Amino acid sequence: MAESIVFGDLLDDPDRLFTSLHTVLFGMGAANLVLRAGIVERLLAGPATTEELAALGQVPQGELARVLDFLVGHAVLARQDDGHWLATPRTARLFEARGYLANCESSALMNSAWLPALRAGHSNFAEYFGQPVFAYFAANPERGALFGEFMGWMTRRVIRFLFASHRFQPFVTVADIGGSMGDLLLAVLAEYPGTRGVLFDLPETLALARPVIAASPLAERVDLVEGTFFEAVPVADLYLMKQILHDWTDEECRTILATVRRVIPARGRLVVIDHILSDPPAPDEAQSTDLAMMAWAGGRERKLAEFAALFAATGFAIERVSRNPAGHSVIEVCPV
Ligand SMILES: C[S@@+](CC[C@H](N)C(=O)[O-])C[C@H]1O[C@@H](n2cnc3c(N)ncnc32)[C@H](O)[C@@H]1O
């Protein structure tokens, strides 16, 4: 069995446990603080003084300098001899990960409500934020936009694996169901010239995606279609569903899959991209995202046999599986 990061050698070494978790917890807080205050973007544009950055964030200079010193200690920022703060290569990485860092902060907040959430029978998210996750994002577009950035960051993590290990059979139109900001769809269209794409998602999500797609050189090849996958999806010969089924219960997944099954052509394919749970359990990414799905959406990650049962119940059969030990796997299914 792989060694657990937190509950293995760290738990056996209290000094490292304390230092590591404190660095993660307060590093995450410091990162979100400077991102939210606009300081990271400002420093990516050029060096600045403490006074300028404190004015920008409307925070006291002394406390801000201590936070910035912490980030200098981790080479996320640097400081010139004349006292100006400046960006390092890690500052850009931090900016790219801003959606994920906001997501981590929400996870930490909602985990404080885990026990009452379980007792009340709903997700940690609904317990802490007062609404199910996608309703909350629809009502709070600035949080929805950060979530979309997080999804794009996650997609970029899996795209290299996807294209290296899994080729799609020839297709004319690909529909990304719950495709968020279109990161996966645009990557697939770039990889498969001469094809067209449909970005299908809730209206509030597509309102955020529309300018992103319009700015892409591939915009001409994309149609945006609003709707809910509990009712109807557009017709295509290749369907993508990345990180969709894991948000929902088995019963809800059967409804989503049945919606696709009603319109998929006989030669069409559905490609599900999700974590596959190890069996027996291992301290891997899938095991932690399983808890994340319980917390965020009342959903779950699944073992391959559990996916197979969902497909069998909705008129699909697994044709190919590209298993990714380090993250999301690819399960391609055909209608039967
Ligand atoms: C976890 S995100 C995955 C996004 C994208 N597939 C990816 O992997 O980057 C779930 C997506 O499902 C969308 N969604 C949620 N409920 C939906 C519904 N009923 N119909 C269509 N899309 C929905 C959300 O707006 C969001 O974009």
Side-chain angles (χ1 to χ4, degrees):
M1 187 190 266
E3 183 56 288
S4 155
I5 297 170
V6 175
F7 298 116
D9 57 342
L10 278 188
L11 201 56
D12 299 334
D13 182 344
D15 292 342
R16 285 184 55 226
L17 177 67
F18 180 86
T19 313
S20 303
L21 288 193
H22 256 60
T23 303
V24 168
L25 284 170
F26 286 92
M28 191 176 80
N32 277 312
L33 172 72
V34 292
L35 282 161
R36 197 167 284 144
I39 289 171
V40 174
E41 259 183 295
R42 169 64 191 80
L43 289 176
L44 285 171
T49 62
T50 310
E51 194 178 0
E52 270 179 82
L53 296 177
L56 176 68
Q58 299 167 28
V59 293
Q61 290 187 37
E63 279 79 359
L64 178 62
R66 286 163 59 196
V67 173
L68 299 181
D69 269 341
F70 169 93
L71 295 171
V72 169
H74 290 270
V76 177
L77 296 179
R79 195 163 195 190
Q80 291 177 169
D81 290 343
D82 66 3
H84 281 72
W85 305 92
L86 72 162
T88 70
R90 279 192 192 156
T91 317
R93 301 286 91 74
L94 186 74
F95 189 65
E96 285 161 18
R98 61 195 180 281
Y100 175 56
L101 290 159
N103 174 280
C104 288
E105 184 182 70
S106 299
S107 292
L109 289 169
M110 72 179 83
N111 284 353
S112 67
W114 206 333
L115 186 59
L118 282 181
R119 287 179 177 161
H122 47 233
S123 67
N124 304 12
F125 192 101
E127 176 72 21
Y128 189 87
F129 291 103
Q131 278 175 289
V133 56
F134 296 116
Y136 177 87
F137 287 147
N140 297 275
E142 71 297 339
R143 298 299 297 183
L146 269 176
F147 185 75
E149 277 165 16
F150 166 50
M151 284 293 110
W153 184 84
M154 285 293 268
T155 297
R156 287 190 287 283
R157 290 182 59 219
V158 76
I159 276 176
R160 202 169 327 127
F161 170 82
L162 174 65
F163 293 146
S165 63
H166 197 100
R167 300 304 301 175
F168 303 136
Q169 66 170 29
F171 63 92
V172 178
T173 304
V174 49
D176 193 1
I177 304 301
S180 187
M181 301 299 110
D183 295 84
L184 177 63
L185 184 69
L186 292 174
V188 169
L189 292 179
E191 184 77 8
Y192 292 84
T195 57
R196 287 198 63 79
V198 180
L199 184 64
F200 177 81
D201 211 304
L202 297 170
E204 296 83 0
T205 305
L206 287 190
L208 297 167
R210 201 159 275 118
V212 180
I213 300 294
S216 161
L218 300 175
E220 291 285 290
R221 290 166 58 197
V222 180
D223 293 312
L224 281 77
V225 178
E226 298 178 355
T228 166
F229 44 50
F230 289 109
E231 289 169 9
V233 293
V235 177
D237 50 357
L238 176 65
Y239 288 90
L240 305 176
M241 267 192 202
K242 177 174 163 289
Q243 291 182 262
I244 297 300
L245 296 181
H246 75 173
D247 288 333
W248 305 97
T249 63
D250 284 357
E251 192 184 346
E252 290 163 330
C253 285
R254 284 191 290 271
T255 307
I256 297 168
L257 289 169
T259 310
V260 176
R261 183 65 184 80
R262 278 199 292 279
V263 292
I264 190 170
R267 62 183 165 68
R269 293 292 181 272
L270 164 64
V271 173
V272 169
I273 304 174
D274 252 324
H275 289 94
I276 298 178
L277 271 181
S278 308
D279 190 13
D284 55 16
E285 189 174 302
Q287 212 74 49
S288 65
T289 57
D290 183 45
L291 296 188
M293 289 312 105
M294 184 194 308
W296 275 76
R300 56 176 309 154
E301 303 295 4
R302 292 179 173 84
K303 296 172 188 165
L304 191 56
E306 293 169 331
F307 276 113
L310 287 179
F311 297 132
T314 48
F316 287 106
I318 295 181
E319 204 171 54
R320 277 194 294 160
V321 180
S322 301
R323 209 164 177 141
N324 180 0
H328 298 90
S329 295
V330 184
I331 308 174
E332 184 162 343
V333 305
C334 57
V336 286

